[in-house]
Amino acid sequence: MRKKQFNIVFQICFFLLIPFSMMAQSPIIITSKSNIVAETEQTKPAALLLKTNLDKAFSSSFTIISEVQNDTESSIVLQFSDALKPDEFVIKSNSNSIFLIASNEKQLRYAVYTLLEIWEFRKFTASETYIPKISQVVFNQNQSKTYHPAFEYRTLLYPDCYEETFRDWHKLDWHVADFGIWGHTFNQLVPAKDFFKTNSKLFALYEHDRNSESLCMTNDTVVDLVTKKMTQIIAAHPNAQFYSVSQNDDVVYCECPKCDALNKKHGGPQGSFYYFLNKIAAHFPNNKITTLAYLHTFKPPLNLKIEPNIYTILCPIELDRSKTLNSENSAAFMKILQNWSITAPHLYLWDYTVQFSNFLSPFPNIQSFSENYKTFQKNKVKGLFVQGYADVPGDFSELRQYLLAKLLWDTEIDIEATTADFLRGFYGKAAPFVQQYLNLLEEKQKKSNTYLDIYSGPVQARNTFLTPEAMTEYDILLEKASVAVESDSVLSSRILKLRLGLEFVYFEQAKFYGKNQHGMFYVNDNGEKEVKEGLTERVLAFTKACKQFGIYELSEDGITPDNYYKEWQEIVKNRISHLGEDLKIHFINPPSDDFKGKGSYGLVDGNRGYKDFNINWMGWYGTNPEFEILSQNLEFSRLKINFLNDQRHWVFTPKKIKIYGYKDQKWKLLEGKDGDILTEDTSITTKSWEFTNKHFSSFTKIKIRVENHTELPDWRKRKNKKPMIMIDEVELYKN
């Protein structure tokens, strides 16, 4: 602009000299009479893709031609250019036409989908595409923008990502096709079933014993075997982008003298691991070798250069998912991330974005996605594998996959606007209430200021964002959402799916609360427990609805809806009433803080634990349970104690149990029993020990002392792990 002292006449003359291109312009108008120009055979598939989508929006069809026929007519021109990078494309315009330009067919398809999104086409899910009904679309003249991804590799493990069109629209890669061998691979490269018995030295020396869950990193035969197997895999999958050489899903690593020396030299178990991995990578310099920085290999090695064809996938499994990485809780991880960004020649990241211990319970972590992905990008993370519910439609799975896909391509998107756009398109008139539901979940979790764990659940969150009072508020909002779309069967179904999450929370907490408020039981006039009216029928309806939505399992452990209902029936069938209910318990040696449940009352609340250690069980980690029951000469002659066996989580049955009685200010040993000799067992079971004594009623207090195992059995030995005993319930009977 001219300065104020310039006279008005000069200003007017200057204005008249401004080129037309710098003044307000009329946009390019595209109608079905406009042509789609595919300049080569290679551009025709993308041109057909564009035509197919536009034909659905317009009342008449578009035509594909091979060259522009008239420079004055508006056209959409698809071109290839060697000047562009393999992962970028350009959308630009002149005064008449729009140009989509890329160096390859995939990027040209991405350009087509981007243009469609500019014109408000949407691919919300694999089966839900929004096609506007229009007679024309517009595009500004003389524009140009180069598009390129925030991350070079982008893959999501969510339900709709199994569908190629959804992946293509959202510019996603697909690890199933891109990896010749994927994930945790030691067991595949050197199978324990083939080698452990005949040559155990190939495997890790861990806690003084050979362990088949890992390999010896300094054994030359291991290098030879892995090299040979990798050669076979690469020959079988020559077009794969990546090949994984990575530890099993366990914390075991080799501590033999040679490996131990490398570990001490290079900062930990990752030292010998990358020493080994460098050898493998050197055999295949033209192939991309991926590995997982996970558990004991989570930190980068010190003073060890990593081969240039190694791609490290950092796996931050223990982050607080309720907060962004900029919070104090994530300071330690941020230091590790920054160190990896310096150490790794190629840094990728495995992001855990759902709660794996249950797929339906609300999990308010969506608000952290945007800032976290910006942080990853700033710290040189070049690729992401984003783990979700796999092919199970879990809590807000549609919204999660949509937002994550957008962020993987562009971390600078307006996340709030993108969320609102999705909710309007996917939930229709129910969108405002769904938005309020999302906001309220996040608000209550933030207010609780508690750690949000990917292996937690409704019982642990009962005092934070899933209190009974909060559940009522959520239910009211989803009821309003349901009413808003009650005349639309498709939208009503989507709200029903959201409500399944609240149903699941209610059932899980009802198991925990038992006969108390919010529990599954009530006590009838005869003092017996009954299931609340209609509750079992609700559980059955829940399981049927899950199956209708394709929710074939409810957690990473694989429990099916049918088995969930069977377990519910077992709990109903095994309900108990005993004389010791509601007696006072005094802990001499209390349970661990993480496993104290309802406190001492939980041992005599009349509600037995079943197979989930999170519900009703009380746990003593590396210590001996010891507590007193203030029986006050209660007339009973049989005492029963229930224990859990869940060896995967280091929960074992006891070594010994002793029962004492208190009378005349003295404790008397009444009976002792040995526990089982431990044997390897992958199933989750419960077992009871019973004690019968006709003199129980003569004592004012009964003391139970349980001896825990001092060491873990060989098959579950892990560093920094101790045996745990879990008890629930202690039952007293007359006979």
Side-chain angles (χ1 to χ4, degrees):
M1 295 178 64
R2 292 296 185 182
K3 295 180 180 179
K4 289 182 179 180
Q5 62 262 37
F6 284 15
N7 62 56
I8 295 174
V9 174
F10 187 88
Q11 290 185 49
I12 294 172
C13 292
F14 178 80
F15 177 77
L16 293 174
L17 292 172
I18 296 175
F20 180 75
S21 61
M22 295 177 64
M23 298 171 58
Q25 302 173 9
S26 299
I28 299 167
I29 298 175
I30 300 293
T31 70
S32 56
K33 292 181 180 179
S34 306
N35 291 314
I36 298 173
V37 182
E39 292 192 338
T40 66
E41 283 296 316
Q42 288 74 25
T43 61
K44 280 186 177 179
L48 181 59
L49 179 66
L50 179 60
K51 168 182 163 55
T52 300
N53 281 278
L54 290 177
D55 286 352
K56 294 175 183 178
F58 286 77
S59 57
S60 53
S61 300
F62 281 71
T63 301
I64 298 175
I65 60 176
S66 59
E67 60 182 24
V68 176
Q69 295 178 341
N70 187 332
D71 288 341
T72 63
E73 292 182 357
S74 59
S75 302
I76 307 173
V77 184
L78 287 80
Q79 300 175 335
F80 282 143
S81 171
D82 294 335
L84 294 176
K85 296 177 181 178
D87 65 346
E88 66 182 14
F89 59 86
V90 172
I91 300 179
K92 70 177 187 177
S93 62
N94 58 21
S95 59
N96 297 308
S97 296
I98 304 166
F99 297 85
L100 308 184
I101 309 169
S103 63
N104 56 69
E105 291 186 37
K106 181 169 77 170
Q107 294 300 320
L108 198 56
R109 292 196 305 273
Y110 290 176
V112 167
Y113 287 128
T114 299
L115 183 62
L116 289 171
E117 290 226 333
I118 290 171
W119 288 334
E120 297 189 353
F121 289 65
R122 296 290 184 267
K123 187 75 172 172
F124 292 121
T125 68
S127 59
E128 180 65 21
T129 305
Y130 173 69
I131 307 290
K133 296 303 178 183
I134 46 182
S135 58
Q136 66 177 39
V137 288
V138 299
F139 197 91
N140 288 338
Q141 294 179 351
N142 301 310
Q143 303 290 309
S144 181
K145 182 175 180 180
T146 301
Y147 294 82
H148 50 81
F151 304 97
E152 67 184 25
Y153 191 75
R154 309 167 303 282
T155 187
L156 295 179
L157 192 56
Y158 273 88
D160 290 313
C161 299
Y162 287 79
E163 204 269 330
E164 186 176 4
T165 303
F166 182 86
R167 293 198 306 271
D168 230 22
W169 186 297
H170 293 288
K171 309 174 186 66
L172 295 169
D173 299 298
W174 189 230
H175 66 288
V176 175
D178 294 336
F179 278 75
I181 182 171
W182 162 253
H184 303 283
T185 59
F186 274 9
N187 269 343
Q188 299 174 65
L189 297 171
V190 185
K193 62 183 178 61
D194 297 334
F195 294 99
F196 189 72
K197 288 184 178 179
T198 57
N199 192 354
S200 64
K201 290 185 178 180
L202 299 176
F203 297 86
L205 182 66
Y206 182 79
E207 294 288 278
H208 312 296
D209 292 306
R210 293 290 171 179
N211 192 307
S212 62
E213 284 302 320
S214 191
L215 302 172
C216 176
M217 299 289 90
T218 54
N219 187 308
D220 290 338
T221 303
V222 172
V223 175
D224 292 341
L225 287 170
V226 172
T227 302
K228 181 179 178 181
K229 185 66 174 179
M230 287 293 291
T231 301
Q232 295 171 355
I233 291 169
I234 292 169
H237 305 278
N239 297 321
Q241 288 190 56
F242 307 102
Y243 304 89
S244 176
V245 179
S246 194
Q247 68 205 62
N248 295 331
D249 193 359
D250 209 317
V251 296
V252 174
Y253 58 89
C254 190
E255 300 175 291
C256 75
K258 288 184 178 180
C259 287
D260 188 55
L262 288 169
N263 295 341
K264 290 175 180 176
K265 181 178 180 181
H266 299 298
Q270 68 273 26
S272 60
F273 177 74
Y274 275 90
Y275 167 85
F276 160 79
L277 196 63
N278 277 345
K279 287 189 172 185
I280 302 302
H283 279 280
F284 307 101
N286 298 320
N287 298 107
K288 297 175 181 178
I289 306 300
T290 68
T291 196
L292 303 176
Y294 178 66
L295 301 178
H296 55 280
T297 61
F298 188 54
K299 295 180 180 180
L302 303 177
N303 306 312
L304 180 64
K305 185 177 180 180
I306 299 174
E307 287 291 319
N309 59 324
I310 292 176
Y311 287 65
T312 296
I313 305 176
L314 180 61
C315 305
I317 197 167
E318 295 181 348
L319 287 178
D320 180 355
R321 304 292 158 173
S322 69
K323 297 179 177 65
T324 67
L325 295 173
N326 297 320
S327 69
E328 292 182 6
N329 291 17
S330 301
F333 168 72
M334 284 304 302
K335 183 64 176 176
I336 293 170
L337 175 62
Q338 289 158 5
N339 288 340
W340 269 119
S341 71
I342 298 169
T343 306
H346 308 278
L347 180 59
Y348 284 11
L349 188 138
W350 187 310
D351 193 24
Y352 304 86
T353 58
V354 300
Q355 203 161 56
F356 297 100
S357 48
N358 66 87
F359 292 160
L360 287 178
S361 179
F363 189 57
N365 67 326
I366 293 174
Q367 78 285 352
S368 69
F369 291 164
S370 181
E371 286 303 315
N372 283 357
Y373 281 54
K374 289 176 184 177
T375 300
F376 295 151
Q377 186 180 18
K378 289 175 183 176
N379 286 274
K380 300 181 181 180
V381 172
K382 299 300 183 183
L384 274 131
F385 172 78
V386 182
Q387 187 175 6
Y389 302 107
D391 57 344
V392 179
D395 170 58
F396 272 113
S397 55
E398 301 87 359
L399 175 62
R400 291 174 186 278
Q401 66 188 10
Y402 188 85
L403 294 178
L404 288 164
K406 296 299 183 191
L407 287 166
L408 285 172
W409 181 260
D410 181 6
T411 59
E412 297 300 322
I413 64 169
D414 184 331
I415 194 70
E416 291 184 2
T418 305
T419 301
D421 182 62
F422 177 89
L423 296 181
R424 283 192 301 270
F426 194 68
Y427 293 108
K429 292 180 180 179
F433 306 109
V434 176
Q435 181 71 75
Q436 290 176 50
Y437 172 52
L438 263 177
N439 293 346
L440 191 59
L441 280 167
E442 293 173 359
E443 175 189 315
K444 290 187 179 295
Q445 168 57 32
K446 184 177 181 180
K447 187 176 180 179
S448 73
N449 195 31
T450 52
Y451 178 76
L452 192 63
D453 187 4
I454 60 173
Y455 286 106
S456 188
V459 172
Q460 295 93 320
R462 69 189 182 279
N463 296 319
T464 58
F465 70 95
L466 292 178
T467 64
E469 295 75 20
M471 289 287 292
T472 299
E473 293 181 64
Y474 303 148
D475 190 61
I476 289 171
L477 287 172
L478 291 190
E479 177 60 25
K480 290 179 179 179
S482 182
V483 171
V485 294
E486 60 187 353
S487 61
D488 188 316
S489 61
V490 172
L491 298 183
S492 293
S493 176
R494 292 171 185 170
I495 300 302
L496 173 60
K497 177 178 175 287
L498 286 180
R499 298 192 80 158
L500 290 180
L502 298 186
E503 284 287 87
F504 179 77
V505 171
Y506 180 75
F507 301 148
E508 291 295 282
Q509 292 185 352
K511 296 176 190 176
F512 176 81
Y513 288 119
K515 68 180 182 182
N516 302 120
Q517 187 181 17
H518 313 299
M520 63 185 290
F521 299 116
Y522 72 95
V523 179
N524 64 23
D525 293 339
N526 296 322
E528 299 169 337
K529 295 184 184 70
E530 297 286 348
V531 181
K532 290 181 177 177
E533 186 175 356
L535 189 51
T536 296
E537 289 76 13
R538 272 176 66 181
V539 177
L540 179 59
F542 163 81
T543 60
K544 289 180 178 179
C546 285
K547 289 187 288 184
Q548 289 171 0
F549 284 109
I551 303 169
Y552 65 88
E553 61 184 17
L554 304 180
S555 70
E556 189 179 51
D557 291 338
I559 183 169
T560 66
D562 285 339
N563 284 338
Y564 185 80
Y565 180 62
K566 288 178 182 177
E567 287 190 3
W568 178 274
Q569 289 179 307
E570 284 295 315
I571 294 170
V572 171
K573 184 175 67 176
N574 291 328
R575 64 186 183 274
I576 55 168
S577 295
H578 64 87
L579 299 173
E581 289 185 40
D582 304 328
L583 289 178
K584 289 185 178 180
I585 299 284
H586 168 65
F587 284 128
I588 300 170
N589 192 5
S592 294
D593 287 342
D594 291 338
F595 302 100
K596 60 184 179 182
K598 302 171 189 174
S600 60
Y601 170 67
L603 290 179
V604 287
D605 64 349
N607 195 31
R608 274 183 191 160
Y610 192 51
K611 291 187 177 182
D612 184 346
F613 65 83
N614 292 305
I615 300 179
N616 294 313
W617 294 98
M618 305 186 71
W620 284 258
Y621 183 61
T623 60
N624 295 323
E626 187 172 358
F627 52 90
E628 300 170 356
I629 305 173
L630 277 65
S631 54
Q632 300 297 332
N633 301 108
L634 179 72
E635 190 175 341
F636 74 101
S637 58
R638 182 162 59 95
L639 185 151
K640 181 178 181 180
I641 314 173
N642 302 297
F643 295 88
L644 181 67
N645 178 66
D646 182 358
Q647 296 184 8
R648 179 190 170 194
H649 293 103
W650 292 277
V651 180
F652 301 91
T653 51
K655 186 176 181 180
K656 289 183 179 179
I657 308 167
K658 292 181 179 179
I659 308 296
Y660 298 82
Y662 189 77
K663 184 168 58 174
D664 299 330
Q665 297 185 335
K666 292 182 180 179
W667 286 105
K668 179 182 179 182
L669 176 63
L670 302 179
E671 189 174 357
K673 288 187 177 182
D674 290 334
D676 294 329
I677 296 174
L678 297 182
T679 56
E680 188 169 2
D681 184 2
T682 58
S683 61
I684 301 174
T685 57
T686 61
K687 183 165 182 179
S688 303
W689 270 260
E690 289 196 10
F691 299 84
T692 302
N693 191 312
K694 63 182 180 181
H695 301 297
F696 275 147
S697 58
S698 65
F699 299 97
T700 57
K701 293 189 288 186
I702 300 293
K703 181 163 65 177
I704 298 173
R705 180 180 291 167
V706 180
E707 186 177 338
N708 198 350
H709 296 274
T710 54
E711 293 185 0
L712 290 167
D714 291 342
W715 64 89
R716 286 304 287 159
K717 275 187 179 179
R718 298 296 185 271
K719 284 189 181 300
N720 303 317
K721 290 294 183 182
K722 301 174 183 177
M724 179 181 285
I725 284 180
M726 284 196 152
I727 302 175
D728 190 70
E729 159 120 339
V730 179
E731 305 168 23
L732 309 181
Y733 299 96
K734 277 190 176 181
N735 49 50

